[in-house]
C-alpha cells in the first residue's frame, strides 16, 4: 500500500465513532422546604412618654436592649414609656430584621425625627422557634429647640426576611 493509501485508511479510521463505554447511573436526592410567610403583630406601640423642654433641643432614648429610657439634661421625662413590642410568626428559621434609618413624629409643631433602635442594629438576625418570637424596638427621638407643645405620632417600617 502506498503512503497516500495508508493516509486514507488512517483518516477513515479517525472518522469512525469510538466504541461506547459502559455507563453507570447514580441516584441523588433533592429536597426543598417551603416556609410560611412571616407575619407580625404589634403587641405594644412605642411610647416615649411625656416630656417637658427648657426650649433647647434634646434627645430621648428608648433602649430595647436594657428596656430603659434616658433623657438629655435639657429635657424632663415624666410618666411611663414603652418599647414597641412585635410578635413574629412563621416557620422555625432565622429572620433578618431591617428598618428605615429614620422616621418622623408629626403634630402641631415641626416634625420630630427619630432613629429606630434594635438589638444588633439593622440586619440583625433573630430566630423564630415554636412558630413565634417576640422582639422589642426602641428609638432615639430628637426634640427640636422650641418644639411646640402637643401630641406627636408617626409610624416606622420593619422589613423581615428569612435568612
Amino acid at each position: 500500500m502506498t503512503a497516500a493509501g495508508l493516509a486514507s485508511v488512517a483518516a477513515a479510521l479517525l472518522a469512525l465513532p469510538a466504541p461506547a463505554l459502559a455507563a453507570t447511573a447514580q441516584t441523588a436526592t433533592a429536597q426543598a422546604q417551603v416556609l410560611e410567610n412571616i407575619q407580625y403583630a404589634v403587641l405594644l406601640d412605642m411610647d416615649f412618654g411625656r416630656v417637658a423642654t427648657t426650649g433647647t433641643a434634646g434627645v430621648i432614648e428608648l433602649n430595647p436592649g436594657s428596656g430603659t429610657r434616658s433623657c438629655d439634661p435639657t429635657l424632663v421625662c415624666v410618666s411611663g414609656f414603652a418599647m414597641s413590642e412585635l410578635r413574629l410568626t412563621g416557620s422555625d428559621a432565622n429572620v433578618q430584621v431591617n428598618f428605615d434609618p429614620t422616621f418622623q413624629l408629626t403634630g402641631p409643631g415641626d416634625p420630630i425625627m427619630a432613629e429606630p433602635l434594635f438589638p444588633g442594629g439593622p440586619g440583625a438576625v433573630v430566630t423564630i422557634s415554636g412558630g413565634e418570637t417576640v422582639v422589642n424596638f426602641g428609638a432615639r427621638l430628637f426634640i427640636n429647640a422650641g418644639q411646640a407643645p402637643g401630641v406627636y405620632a408617626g409610624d416606622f417600617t420593619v422589613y423581615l426576611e428569612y435568612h
Side-chain angles (χ1 to χ4, degrees):
M1 202 176 249
T2 67
L6 284 173
S8 295
V9 170
L13 288 175
L14 289 175
L16 293 176
L21 300 176
T24 60
Q26 292 292 330
T27 302
T29 302
Q31 72 176 25
Q33 179 183 3
V34 177
L35 302 175
E36 297 174 49
N37 285 335
I38 303 169
Q39 303 286 324
Y40 76 89
V42 178
L43 301 177
L44 191 59
D45 286 326
M46 189 180 303
D47 185 352
F48 290 92
R50 298 168 69 187
V51 60
T53 70
T54 59
T56 59
V59 178
I60 303 171
E61 182 175 301
L62 300 180
N63 184 322
S66 65
T68 61
R69 173 180 65 185
S70 60
C71 294
D72 278 350
T74 59
L75 305 173
V76 178
C77 291
V78 295
S79 74
F81 66 94
M83 306 291 157
S84 180
E85 191 174 84
L86 306 176
R87 177 189 300 130
L88 311 182
T89 58
S91 298
D92 288 359
N94 290 331
V95 175
Q96 187 174 46
V97 179
N98 279 297
F99 41 89
D100 293 333
T102 62
F103 64 99
Q104 288 187 347
L105 302 184
T106 57
D110 291 336
I112 305 172
M113 189 192 60
E115 295 175 343
L117 298 175
F118 186 73
V125 175
V126 299
T127 301
I128 295 178
S129 179
E132 72 177 42
T133 192
V134 175
V135 297
N136 291 325
F137 268 87
R140 279 188 199 97
L141 185 66
F142 298 89
I143 303 292
N144 301 306
Q147 190 70 52
V151 176
Y152 292 78
D155 297 318
F156 66 99
T157 304
V158 178
Y159 306 96
L160 306 169
E161 183 177 326
Y162 283 115
H163 184 70

